Amino acid sequence: MIERVGLIGAGGVSHVHAQAWRELGRTVTVYSLDGAPELARQYGFELADDLDEVLRTSDLIDVVTPTPSHREITVAALEAGLPVICEKPLGATQADAVAVAEAARAAGLPVFPAHVVRYMPDYAALKAALDAGRIGPVAIARWWRHGEAPGAGSWFHDESAGGGIVRDLMIHDLDQALWQLGEVVEVYGVQSGASETGEPNAVAVAVLTHASGAISQLTASWGPRGTTFRTGYAVFGAEGMLRSDSDRNGPYLADVPGDAASSGYMPPQTRAVSPYTAEIAGFLDVVEGREAAARVGVDDGVAAVALAELVMQSIAEGRAIPVGRVDAAERESGELR
Amino acid sequence: MTKLRVAVLSFAHGHALSYARILQRDPSVDLIATDPDGSGPDRGRGAADELGVAYVDSYDDAFAWGPDAVVVTTENSGHLALVERAVQAGIHVLCEKPLATRLEDGTRMVAAAADAGVRFMTAYPVRFAAAFAELRRRVADGELGRVLAVHGANNGKMPGGDSWFTDPELAGGGSLVDHVVHCADLFDALLGVEPTTVRAVANDILHPEIDGRVETGGIVTLQYPGGVIGTIDCSWSWPDASPTWGGLQLEVIGTRGSVRVDPFAQHLGGFEATGPLWIGTGDDLDEAMIAEFLDAVASGRTPQPDGGAGLRTLRIVDAAQRSARAGGAPVAPA
């Protein structure tokens, strides 16, 4: 039983994790270089003075720090004998992600990369429908994800420090493409970007050729301040099609001039259980022995980071990149869930 | 007032019937049609009778009638011969898209029309959607900031199972030929530049019953000068069970915001006894396109989209086909 959770990091995504832990009734200790007292006060959590303290006093570590520190903190937690939930991407580089997977295997402990989209009902339902063959063999799939750009100057924009739109935003759909349509054999990417108002906007496109022959087109964009977050997909098979669009399928539409409640970073909360809570509950089911595996394991986290890196390589080199060899390396290092 | 004499040449392309219907009710037009290569002996005359359009038995008869303008709606591979014949006779041409099955044929057609000094228009009706015009205005006025990306999806049902659309000789290819051009033309109108790099991948998973004769699905990626990126999903991916033929969605993402355009979205949705019901309520885009052609012919100006637009988009199709054949290697348009 996981009683005490160490939450490391107190930035944007920490709130949905904090909310989940509160709903799941666990005792949380926060450690962060920045913002920990405010987060602890808001959610009634305890504070730790340093990493050692939080590792010493916790049964599980939840890492929601900026991407460049995921590897170091996750490995430290594993070495302290603790299972880890790590916000996506699992590592700033493929090498980092592989190192995390190796540390998990060495420790015999699970690491759950928080690919929350797997816990979003519209995506989970698609997976079930595709697995059941409802629309026949898939030919073409389009996945899209649009939101507000992170603030100028933040690490999110620094591709040399674990950031960039592909690694941070598109990675959700890279994981979806892999989960839903399987192994990828070729990757092609293009990207454009500009800073006009100080907010660095960007659009990235990836085209993935799956081993099945299916083609995935992924579009991710970081828009100006005030951009409405939206996400969706259209998947076309030989016997039908399935699509979902967050701004058309939503059960909640607000028209409140001057509304401060909207967020351009994340989808609005429209379900009794947030997907972040569902995701963390799914991980606890494994750690506490109720389930053998979660919907996402450490190998999936490695695969998504590896694919993101190939997309970025394709963007940089202006050519399509075959995947074969990298994929084999991932499988070798990523058997543990 | 002298009426403009217009001949519709062939009903091979389904759009011909729509064009003929619109021309037939235009009081300034004297219309005939011919469909000598029709699958059955009665396809052309039957359709013409139904529309109340005068019918002649051959292209020779149609040209002998002395048309001022022709609408060329044969199979794609038949455009070249009729367009050349028309323009050499000083006849203005509205040509169904894509202009040709080979880039060099398109180049010949456009050059021939220019040499003859006749009006030559490519049939791209989506250009005339009011929603697109509004998007175009906003982009031109800079209201979206700097354009970063243009995304198009032109998906529909596969044109009738056994039709020439899936014959590589007559059509020039599959969905890459049929459905890249509309989005490519809208991008052309929005950006005013041609792409520097085209990359395409295609497959034939949809409609296995045509045994891979042509590609049925494809994704095209474009890079334009100045860093603008573009995508086109040209797949014949709309299931046969759909109550509508398909549609075209366009999205432009700029530094100040984005706009999505869906010119065929306007409809009444519902159900009838046998399933879903879709009653389109959008503008008749063909009507606006024909009006542009007739006006350009009457006033002696260049219609838009002209043959040049048809050729620029054909260049993208040609590059996409080369890229797909090369297994997805990015290529430069010819």
Side-chain angles (χ1 to χ4, degrees), chain A residues 109-191:
Chain A
L109 289 164
V111 170
F112 302 100
H115 285 288
V116 67
V117 180
R118 293 197 186 198
Y119 288 85
M120 294 184 175
D122 282 13
Y123 289 84
L126 175 66
K127 170 77 171 158
L130 294 181
D131 285 353
R134 292 286 295 273
I135 62 169
V138 171
I140 302 285
R142 283 187 269 123
W143 316 88
W144 59 88
R145 192 163 297 273
H146 303 282
E148 186 175 301
S154 94
W155 67 271
F156 283 104
H157 297 289
D158 187 352
E159 289 186 3
S160 65
I165 188 168
V166 171
R167 205 190 261 123
D168 197 74
L169 185 65
M170 182 186 276
I171 198 156
H172 286 294
D173 293 308
L174 291 169
D175 177 60
Q176 282 302 305
L178 286 167
W179 190 46
Q180 306 272 1
L181 298 177
E183 192 184 346
V184 169
V185 296
E186 189 171 69
V187 172
Y188 182 72
V190 289
Q191 185 173 332

Side-chain angles (χ1 to χ4, degrees), chain B residues 32 66 82 122 126 142 146 148 169 190 204 209-210 231 262 280 292 300:
Chain B
I32 65 163
L82 289 175
T122 312
V126 190
R146 211 186 103 190
L148 297 177
E169 285 304 313
L190 285 169
D204 53 13
E209 71 277 11
I210 67 161
T231 61
D262 193 347
E292 163 71 6

Side-chain angles (χ1 to χ4, degrees), chain B residues 248-280:
Chain B
L248 184 150
Q249 290 86 35
L250 182 67
E251 175 167 20
V252 176
I253 300 177
T255 50
R256 288 192 193 152
S258 65
V259 168
R260 282 175 283 169
V261 164
D262 193 347
F264 301 98
Q266 289 157 314
H267 75 287
L268 303 181
F271 300 89
E272 58 190 332
T274 51
L277 192 57
W278 174 294
I279 300 172

Side-chain angles (χ1 to χ4, degrees), chain A residues 142 192 196 201 230 247, chain B residues 148 155 233 251 255-256 260:
Chain A
R142 283 187 269 123
S192 68
E196 188 167 284
N201 301 154
R230 61 192 169 87
D247 64 357
Chain B
L148 297 177
N155 300 139
D233 176 356
E251 175 167 20
T255 50
R256 288 192 193 152
R260 282 175 283 169

Side-chain angles (χ1 to χ4, degrees), chain A residues 234-261:
Chain A
V235 181
F236 301 91
E239 290 154 35
M241 62 93 74
L242 283 164
R243 60 185 162 168
S244 170
D245 195 338
S246 63
D247 64 357
R248 298 189 185 185
N249 294 15
Y252 175 83
L253 288 171
D255 184 5
V256 185
D259 197 353

Side-chain angles (χ1 to χ4, degrees), chain A residues 188-190 312-321, chain B residues 197 223 329-330:
Chain A
Y188 182 72
V190 289
M312 293 166 75
Q313 186 190 344
S314 174
I315 289 166
E317 296 179 3
R319 64 184 182 98
I321 311 274
Chain B
T197 307
Q223 287 174 281

